[in-house]
Amino acid sequence: MDTRITLPRATAHKATMTPIDTPTEQKWPTHRLLARKPVMAAMICIALIGGMQGVDPALHSVAMPAAAKALGMNPSLAAFLKSIGTIVLAASMLGVGIIGDRHGRKKILVAGILLMGVAALVTAAAPTPMIFGAGRVLMGISTAMSFAMCLALIPTLFEKKDLPKAFGLFFGAGATLIVIATSLSGTIQSALGWRATYVSTAVLCLVLTLIAIRLLPENRSAAQRKFDTVGVLLAAAGLIALVYSIGQASTRGWGSPLVIGGIFLALVVLGGFALWERRIENPAFPVELFKKPAFAAACLAGVLFNWADASLLGQYPALALPAGVPASAVSVVVAVMYIGMICGAPMAGIAQKRFGATNRTMFTSGLLLCAAGLASQIFMRDPHNIVLPAFGLFVVGFAVMWMQNPQSAIIMGSAPADQLGAVGAVKPAVGQFGFGLGFALAGPMSTIFMTDGVMTAHAYGLGLAVQSIIFVVAAGLIFLLLTPRNRRATA
């Protein structure tokens, strides 16, 4: 048996464990009526905790301008502290994933969501930029702890065939939480100030900590692998260099020596990581997974749908706000993307579970939807038009979740039973890479069509339409990659 699960005290009398002699994680007996309630309660809890990975940066982006002004940050310091949590999150995922696999996934998840609350309080109470930054660093580490374990626990609750539907619930509930939290954040900040925004994050985290302690099962790998210190450090260094360099490209330009040097360093370090993992007996990450067409396609899709997401999220406000569109109207339009996500997540699960849509179909159609959402902006003529941007944001949001469900099911379904936490690190890593690319490439593409350096509706539309061509080409590549003769050992 590859894992050990202990039911929470409150539900242990309702279900008994049935040994399953398979190489995958042992599951709760979801086929038994009495076991369904605790499983679904645990799943909803995991989904809400996973949603905090999106809630925190959303609220942080709302509060950051006021925090920077109050604490006297210069623009470069403010930009760095705004992104430091994301950089640390990407760098921490592999290490915390391995620790959770070894010592208990519930323990790490509970510790992570609790520390997210502590980090939010440190940020809220910060008297100086240094303490503010310390709070954001702790937030990055703790978010990695909670999110990595959310991904690792889901395959232990459901059979492999049910993972698309499970991830539909996971991402749908998370997107709903983001919409609710962001819609209230402006009111909270207007009434109580920027510090109250971070306090609200802390309150959410405390409530979710108590729920997680009550509802979640303990689970860890029975096989105790040796901790791969060198591999974890190489992965962390490479991801820090990559995410930071791409983030700097959006402000310094792709020709900056810092950007070029950072990306080169990242490629060298990550290449060294891959070579190290291939030669040691107990690697931190099974790099041979990238040889599987479905796994490679899932990672590529993750880069692309995050790219599309970031491009529209970055470009629409850059057009509308300078043109005089009220910030409140812009925020409402941007929120339409999350409504698209709420719709896309359950629909993706239904498409695969009930109608048998293949991963090939999901990824290809999803990338074409991204292309359509981006290309639709070419018809933009007036920056005050909110209907067309809302349409594009909804379509891209729907496409993100349409692909994110099968992407997550493939990545987590491909993971060895004793490395669920470690393999789960891939998802946020490719996500941060794609998100950074979207922000860093969208601006320069629109700049090509600008007149006198001014963002016009014409430049906005053409810049996004050019990007849509990339998504059409990528859809064709993934369609070929996932032809039946190439698929093997995948979800």
Side-chain angles (χ1 to χ4, degrees):
M1 191 64 59
D2 289 304
T3 59
R4 289 170 277 176
I5 294 179
T6 303
L7 291 175
R9 291 180 181 176
T11 60
H13 66 282
K14 296 183 180 180
T16 57
M17 293 307 303
T18 302
I20 301 175
D21 188 18
T22 69
T24 59
E25 290 279 356
Q26 189 180 29
K27 313 293 191 299
W28 281 8
T30 54
H31 60 283
R32 296 185 180 182
L33 181 61
L34 291 179
R36 290 176 184 170
K37 288 184 178 179
V39 169
M40 291 310 299
M43 183 63 221
I44 293 171
C45 175
I46 291 171
L48 293 176
I49 291 173
M52 290 303 299
Q53 192 224 6
V55 169
D56 170 68
L59 299 191
H60 176 52
S61 66
V62 171
M64 187 63 202
K69 182 178 180 180
L71 297 178
M73 302 180 197
N74 60 51
S76 61
L77 177 60
F80 175 72
L81 293 182
K82 183 177 181 179
S83 62
I84 186 64
T86 299
I87 296 171
V88 173
L89 185 155
S92 304
M93 283 291 292
L94 180 59
V96 300
I98 296 171
I99 292 171
D101 288 337
R102 286 166 55 90
H103 299 293
R105 293 160 184 148
K106 176 183 176 179
K107 290 185 181 71
I108 300 302
L109 185 149
V110 170
I113 191 66
L114 178 61
L115 286 175
M116 285 181 71
V118 173
L121 289 176
V122 171
T123 307
T128 64
M130 181 175 293
I131 296 177
F132 184 93
R136 296 310 300 168
V137 168
L138 180 59
M139 181 62 77
I141 297 171
S142 55
T143 303
M145 293 168 66
S146 62
F147 190 68
M149 294 303 100
C150 285
L151 295 175
L153 279 171
I154 292 173
T156 71
L157 299 178
F158 296 90
E159 300 293 340
K160 191 173 181 179
K161 62 183 176 62
D162 295 323
L163 286 181
K165 186 176 181 180
F167 279 110
L169 173 59
F170 178 72
F171 291 115
T176 302
L177 182 62
I178 293 172
V179 170
I180 295 172
T182 52
S183 64
L184 295 175
S185 62
T187 303
I188 293 173
Q189 184 162 323
S190 297
L192 302 173
W194 65 269
R195 295 182 189 274
T197 302
Y198 293 107
V199 172
S200 65
T201 299
V203 172
L204 276 173
C205 291
L206 176 60
V207 171
L208 289 171
T209 298
L210 298 175
I211 295 173
I213 292 171
R214 173 81 174 176
L215 295 180
L216 296 186
E218 185 52 276
N219 170 267
R220 66 175 179 270
S221 170
Q224 293 296 302
R225 303 170 66 87
K226 184 178 178 180
F227 191 84
D228 179 13
T229 304
V230 173
V232 169
L233 291 177
L234 285 173
L239 288 171
I240 288 173
L242 184 64
V243 174
Y244 177 75
S245 301
I246 292 175
Q248 289 296 303
S250 62
T251 55
R252 297 175 180 268
W254 286 94
S256 167
L258 177 65
V259 173
I260 295 173
I263 293 175
F264 177 77
L265 175 63
L267 294 176
V268 170
V269 174
L270 292 174
F273 166 74
L275 291 174
W276 172 261
E277 296 300 284
R278 288 177 62 86
R279 66 179 292 271
I280 65 172
E281 183 177 355
N282 293 305
F285 183 87
V287 293
E288 65 275 5
L289 287 178
F290 288 103
K291 295 180 180 179
K292 297 182 178 182
F295 191 86
C299 292
L300 177 59
V303 171
L304 290 164
F305 65 65
N306 279 283
W307 175 346
D309 184 346
S311 291
L312 262 179
L313 283 180
Q315 290 303 94
Y316 171 63
L319 169 70
L321 291 174
V325 179
S328 57
V330 172
S331 65
V332 170
V333 174
V334 168
V336 173
M337 173 175 279
Y338 297 106
I339 296 174
M341 291 180 179
I342 293 171
C343 295
M347 290 299 293
I350 292 171
Q352 290 204 282
K353 178 68 176 175
R354 184 174 300 177
F355 298 106
T358 64
N359 295 322
R360 185 192 199 193
T361 299
M362 300 296 289
F363 288 147
T364 303
S365 60
L367 289 173
L368 291 176
L369 280 173
C370 284
L374 295 172
S376 68
Q377 304 307 292
I378 199 171
F379 300 107
M380 191 76 163
R381 297 291 182 267
D382 181 1
H384 294 87
N385 179 351
I386 63 173
V387 175
L388 194 60
F391 171 79
L393 285 160
F394 180 89
V395 171
V396 170
F398 185 95
V400 166
M401 290 303 181
W402 184 257
M403 289 185 282
Q404 190 152 222
N405 280 21
Q407 183 224 19
S408 302
I410 288 172
I411 289 174
M412 300 312 301
S414 301
D418 61 342
Q419 291 183 286
L420 287 170
V423 173
V426 167
K427 180 170 172 51
V430 300
Q432 294 301 329
F433 176 54
F435 210 79
L437 278 178
F439 274 120
L441 291 174
M445 286 188 180
S446 294
T447 302
I448 298 172
F449 306 101
M450 287 182 186
T451 302
D452 298 326
V454 177
M455 173 70 82
T456 62
H458 176 72
Y460 161 84
L462 281 177
L464 292 173
V466 168
Q467 291 184 71
S468 71
I469 299 172
I470 298 172
F471 288 85
V472 173
V473 173
L477 291 175
I478 287 184
F479 183 84
L480 295 175
L481 182 62
L482 293 181
T483 54
R485 65 176 179 274
N486 287 333
R487 294 198 301 266
R488 58 175 72 96
T490 58

